[in-house]
Every structure is written in C-alpha cells, then in structure tokens.
Amino acid sequence: MRRLRSSTVVLGGMGVLAATITACGSDPDRRCVDPLTREELPSYQCQSGGGDDDGSSGTHRGAYYYGGSVNDRKVSGGSFDKTAVDTGGFGCSGTGGG
C-alpha cells in the first residue's frame, strides 16, 4: 500500500479548512436600496452604518438590503435584516454557523 507524504496530507487538509472557513464566514451580498420602491441605488445613498456622525443633513434615502437578486433594478428574495439571510455554505446553518 502506498503511503502519502505528510506534506500532501497537510496541504490537502489546509485546503479543506480554508474552503470551510470561507463558506461559513461569508457575508451575503449587500446592496443599497430604496426601502419604499425596492429600487437599487448608488452606494453613497446609504449611510455607512459605522456609527460616524459627520453632522451632515439626512440626505441618505437608501438602506442596505442583503442577499436576493436584482431584476430591472428592483431587488427581491432578500431582506433588510442581515441576520435573516441564509448565506449557505458547507456545514453551516443560517443561525450562526456550526
């Protein structure tokens, strides 16, 4: 019986580990969307969400929409709530991984 080299086993294991981490840790697609019309907007129309208050007037009319798809500039199949979107992936559940 042929023995595998330890470097082959290590490299193969690292590849599987990297694929699992990438699949479980990936965020859903994020788009800037008008909440009323569900029309996709340029990203500058959404607030950064980083908590920075630059004192500017409320010129942002968009909100981030997660997952779903775009058809004729209208989004569907996703959610404005990031935690409600299942990112899928090998060995992951939509409720926090695992």
Side-chain angles (χ1 to χ4, degrees):
M1 176 165 222
R2 185 175 166 206
R3 295 179 64 190
L4 293 176
R5 292 185 175 167
S6 61
S7 61
T8 304
V9 173
V10 170
L11 289 175
M14 293 298 284
V16 170
L17 178 63
T20 302
I21 290 171
T22 302
C24 291
S26 62
D27 286 332
D29 291 338
R30 180 175 84 166
R31 298 173 177 86
C32 186
V33 172
D34 184 323
L36 299 176
T37 65
R38 299 224 172 180
E39 182 178 319
E40 189 173 26
L41 300 172
S43 61
Y44 66 83
Q45 290 288 331
C46 285
Q47 293 178 337
S48 66
D52 296 336
D53 185 10
D54 59 2
S56 62
S57 61
T59 58
H60 302 284
R61 68 178 184 133
Y64 285 115
Y65 188 84
Y66 299 94
S69 60
V70 180
N71 190 12
D72 293 328
R73 295 193 56 193
K74 302 272 184 172
V75 296
S76 64
S79 175
F80 288 102
D81 180 9
K82 183 178 180 179
T83 60
V85 178
D86 182 12
T87 59
F90 177 75
C92 302
S93 68
T95 58

